[in-house]
Amino acid sequence: MSLPVRYDVAAVRSAFPALQGGAAHFDGPGGTQVPTPVADAVHAAMVAPTANRGRVTAAERTADAVVLAARQAVADLVGGDPGGVVFGRSATALTYDLARTLSAGWGPGDEVVVTRLDHDANVRPWVQAAERAGATVRWVPFDPATGELTAADVAGQVTDATVLVAVTGASNLIGTRPPLAEIAGVVHAAGALFHVDGVHLTAHAPVDLAELGCDTFVCSPYKFLGPHCGVLVAAPAFLGTLHPDKLLPSTDAVPERFETGTLPYELLAGTTAAVDFLAGVLGAEGPRRPRLLAAMAALEEHEDVLRDRLETGLAELPGTTLWSRAGHRTPTLLVTFEGRDAGDAYRFLAERGVNAPAGSFYALEASRWLGLGDTGGLRVGLAPYSDDADVDRLLQGLREFLATT
C-alpha cells in the first residue's frame, strides 16, 4: 500500500460545510463538525426503503446491511470483533447498562476502582452500581502537578477484592493518556475486569484493543466526525457471559441482546461513513484497518504539531496557566488566567468567531482534584480540520482578551 507523505488539512477542511461559517472550532472534544459524506450517508439511509432487520424483503435487507456494515466499521477502527460491537444512545447510556448488568453479581466485600481523572460517565455509573450492590469504591488519584496517572497509582488501589477497574483512555479535560496496557496487567493480575472509556482517545490516535488489554471499551462516533450515538466493544465470548435485562421476545443473540429497541439505522450509516472518511484522509487504497492505522497516526502527528505551536504561544501570554502537562496526551488543553474568568475568555473569543468553551466538561472529579472546583477552565481542543490559521486566531484573541481590563 502506497501512502502520501503528508496530511493535507486543506483537503480535509473542504469536506466540512460547517467551516464555511467562518468560525475556528476548538470545541471538538464536545463533538466534532461533520463532513459531507457523513451527512449524505445519514440522508441516504433515511430515504431508502427500510424496515426491521431481516432477510426476506429488500427493506429488511437494507436495514440489516446498515447494521452489519457499522459493526464492521467500528471493529476496523478500534481493532475489535464486529460480533462484539454494541450500539446505543450514548457511551454514557451504554456504561450505565454495562454497570447495571455487571453489578448484579457484586456484593459486600467486592471493590470497584475508579479514577479522579475520568469524565463522570466513567465514574458515576460504577459508583452508583457499587453503592446499590453494597460494594466498596476505591479512588485512584493522579498527580495534579504533572497530570500523570500511572499504573502504580492504579496498583495502589487494586486488591484481591477488586472486581472492576474503570480508567479513561484519555482525559477529556487535560488530555492525559494513562498507560493502559500496563494498567491492564495490574488489573488482570488481580483477577478483575478492565473497562476503558475511549471516547476521547478514539478521536485522536490509532486504537488497538488487543494492545490496550481492556475487557470492555466505549467510544462515541460524534467525537470522531460522526453522528450522535454510542458504541460498546468487547469480545463476543465475554458478552455471551452477560445477561442484561431485555424484552422476552427480543433475541438473546450477541451483540443484539444488549441493544434494546430498534437501532437508529441512519446514525449507524453515518458512523460507517465517518470511519470511511477517516480511512480515506491520506488517499490510500486497500483494506480499511491498515488505512485507518496510517490515517490516525498521521492525524495524531498533525494535531501534535499544532499543539506544540499552541502551547508555545500560550506560554508567552502573561498570567496564563496550562494544566495539560502529561508526557503522553491528546491535543486537548485546559487553560486558566490569573485574575480573569475563563468564562469571560470563552465569550470574548466567541464574539470573534473562535469557539473554545469554558467549564469542567463533566470531568468534575478531575477539575476538583486540580483545585479548579466545578468551574474548570478554558478548554482548547484540536480536531482533524484544525489548521495554523485557527491557532493564530485563538492566540490573537487571547492576547486581546488579556489586554482588556
Side-chain angles (χ1 to χ4, degrees):
M1 181 173 60
S2 175
L3 295 176
V5 295
R6 63 186 291 267
Y7 179 87
D8 189 347
V9 67
V12 170
R13 288 176 63 85
S14 69
F16 290 82
L19 299 184
Q20 296 176 11
H25 286 272
F26 293 95
D27 48 4
T32 52
Q33 304 306 304
V34 175
T36 297
V38 171
D40 288 346
V42 171
H43 175 265
M46 294 195 75
V47 299
T50 56
N52 288 326
R53 293 174 64 191
R55 303 305 302 171
V56 177
T57 70
E60 291 171 350
R61 291 192 295 273
T62 295
D64 196 45
V66 166
V67 174
L68 296 178
R71 294 204 206 283
Q72 185 63 63
V74 170
D76 286 345
L77 180 64
V78 301
D81 185 322
V85 174
V86 178
F87 287 98
R89 181 169 58 85
S90 65
T92 301
L94 287 167
T95 304
Y96 265 115
D97 290 343
L98 181 63
R100 282 191 292 268
T101 300
L102 290 173
S103 64
W106 300 346
D110 291 327
E111 296 179 353
V112 174
V113 177
V114 294
T115 88
R116 299 289 182 187
L117 184 65
D118 273 83
H119 186 292
D120 213 52
N122 202 32
V123 173
R124 220 54 52 187
W126 305 114
V127 169
Q128 291 166 347
E131 289 174 344
R132 282 193 295 270
T136 299
V137 176
R138 297 174 67 93
W139 292 84
V140 179
F142 68 94
D143 185 345
T146 65
E148 300 282 6
L149 186 148
T150 69
D153 294 328
V154 176
Q157 300 301 321
V158 171
T159 74
D160 291 341
T162 302
V163 292
L164 178 133
V165 177
V167 179
T168 185
S171 166
N172 73 305
L173 189 69
I174 58 175
T176 299
R177 292 176 58 177
L180 297 179
E182 292 181 46
I183 294 172
V186 171
V187 175
H188 291 148
L193 293 174
F194 185 32
H195 175 78
V196 169
D197 176 353
V199 170
H200 191 64
L201 174 65
T202 308
H204 296 288
V207 172
D208 189 313
L209 296 188
E211 291 183 1
L212 299 186
C214 58
D215 298 291
T216 52
F217 181 93
V218 291
C219 60
S220 299
Y222 77 100
K223 301 297 177 73
F224 54 83
L225 315 181
H228 284 76
C229 58
V231 189
L232 166 70
V233 188
F238 172 73
L239 292 178
T241 68
L242 306 181
H243 300 282
D245 292 335
K246 69 173 194 66
L247 302 181
L248 183 61
S250 298
T251 179
D252 199 39
V254 171
E256 284 83 0
R257 72 168 68 161
F258 298 91
E259 295 169 333
T260 55
T262 301
L263 289 171
Y265 304 129
E266 67 278 8
L267 303 185
L268 271 58
T271 296
T272 300
V275 173
D276 282 336
F277 182 87
L278 288 169
V281 295
L282 295 181
E285 298 180 354
R288 184 164 53 193
R289 174 63 178 166
R291 288 190 293 125
L292 281 165
L293 289 174
M296 294 306 294
L299 168 60
E300 185 177 20
E301 181 180 4
H302 166 73
E303 292 181 340
D304 282 347
V305 169
L306 290 180
R307 187 196 73 197
D308 288 344
R309 285 193 67 239
L310 187 52
E311 289 178 348
T312 298
L314 289 171
E316 297 172 352
L317 300 179
T320 298
T321 299
L322 177 62
W323 297 90
S324 304
R325 302 164 180 166
H328 197 204
R329 61 192 186 277
T330 62
T332 309
L333 311 182
L334 187 72
V335 186
T336 57
F337 311 96
E338 184 178 0
R340 305 296 296 270
D341 188 333
D344 291 338
Y346 166 31
R347 289 180 285 272
F348 185 93
L349 291 171
E351 292 173 354
R352 287 151 182 80
V354 178
N355 298 351
S360 57
F361 306 99
Y362 286 79
L364 199 60
E365 298 292 342
S367 184
R368 291 173 177 176
W369 197 250
L370 290 169
L372 300 176
D374 294 357
T375 55
L378 187 79
R379 185 176 67 177
V380 178
L382 297 171
Y385 40 76
S386 301
D387 64 6
D388 287 324
D390 288 338
V391 171
D392 291 341
R393 289 177 62 186
L394 174 72
L395 291 172
Q396 181 58 33
L398 288 176
R399 290 188 198 99
E400 293 174 3
F401 167 71
L402 293 172
T404 63
T405 57

